[in-house]
Amino acid sequence: YAPPPDASDLPGLEASGEVVAVGPGVSEVKLGDMVCALLPGGGYAEYVATPAAHCLPVPKGLGLKEAACLPETFFTVWSNVFMRGGLKAGEKFLVHGGSSGIGTTAIQLARAMGARVFATAGNDAKCATCLELGAERAINYREEDFVEVLKAEGGADLILDMVGGDYIVRNLRSLAVEGRLVQIAFLEGSKAELDFRRVLM
């Protein structure tokens, strides 16, 4: 993605550290707070600036290195799964790439919010991690068809997909009536041949 026009030309979208200055009217953070933040750029610099709303407190028990890994995944999952996708307690939620950063975050947040969580991953060890994090069912996509698993459950109410490609059509086949698909990346491509009668139905 292109950076915002006023972003730093240095790389790095996540950082953590101590707040050493705040702008006028900022009340969300104060001097001395330890925070992690999502940035418009410049994360590899000694000092960074970002909107206060992009800062999160460093959770107890985590160091600054670990905390720097949180903002992008948590903000991405919250905005796409809950704000855009509208996931509610009791709904069936499928996340592809369940052992990825986005996937592990999505599993934990969806479970904490009371959803029934399903995840795909590429081997048994990754599936075991998904289960440990709170997935009700982890689907090894090399051995099982996630479409059949979700259809047997009545379909997914929400799917979060980063894969694209042939998953686009398969996701639509996996949805419940009134189900929602949130697409945030296309690791396997952004094009698919689609029969829109399925969407109509």
Side-chain angles (χ1 to χ4, degrees):
Y1 305 109
D6 58 347
S8 167
D9 58 353
L10 295 173
L13 298 178
E14 295 178 288
S16 62
E18 180 181 350
V19 175
V20 296
V22 295
V26 171
S27 60
E28 297 94 336
V29 295
K30 62 185 183 314
L31 296 180
D33 282 354
M34 301 303 283
V35 300
C36 49
L38 185 62
L39 312 169
Y44 294 173
E46 186 176 357
Y47 294 94
V48 300
T50 198
H54 292 189
C55 296
L56 297 171
V58 172
K60 290 179 182 169
L62 289 187
L64 292 176
K65 269 190 205 176
E66 294 86 2
C69 302
L70 298 177
E72 189 166 15
T73 58
F74 274 80
F75 290 154
T76 298
V77 169
W78 188 261
S79 63
N80 287 287
V81 172
F82 298 98
M83 294 172 72
R84 289 182 188 274
L87 185 65
K88 306 258 186 309
E91 289 190 316
K92 296 179 295 288
F93 170 60
L94 170 64
V95 59
H96 293 297
S99 62
S100 68
I102 294 292
T104 57
T105 303
I107 290 169
Q108 293 174 85
L109 285 178
R111 178 64 183 267
M113 298 301 281
R116 294 181 60 198
V117 182
F118 299 79
T120 61
N123 62 48
D124 291 341
K126 290 179 179 181
C127 285
T129 297
C130 295
L131 294 172
E132 288 170 17
L133 291 172
E136 172 181 323
R137 180 81 153 74
I139 304 154
N140 182 337
Y141 62 78
R142 297 183 202 286
E143 298 176 359
E144 288 186 279
D145 182 1
F146 68 84
V147 177
E148 296 307 316
V149 172
L150 268 299
K151 282 170 77 174
E153 293 286 341
D157 298 297
L158 179 67
I159 298 174
L160 180 65
D161 184 31
M162 299 156 271
V163 180
D166 72 341
Y167 273 35
I168 295 169
V169 174
R170 294 172 69 202
N171 284 332
L172 293 176
R173 291 179 49 221
S174 302
L175 287 172
V177 174
E178 301 294 333
R180 292 97 60 203
L181 170 61
V182 177
Q183 193 77 45
I184 60 171
F186 296 99
L187 299 174
E188 296 295 326
S190 61
K191 296 181 181 176
E193 186 171 320
L194 178 62
D195 182 346
F196 263 80
R197 284 178 297 184
R198 181 167 297 281
V199 177
L200 178 65
M201 290 186 291

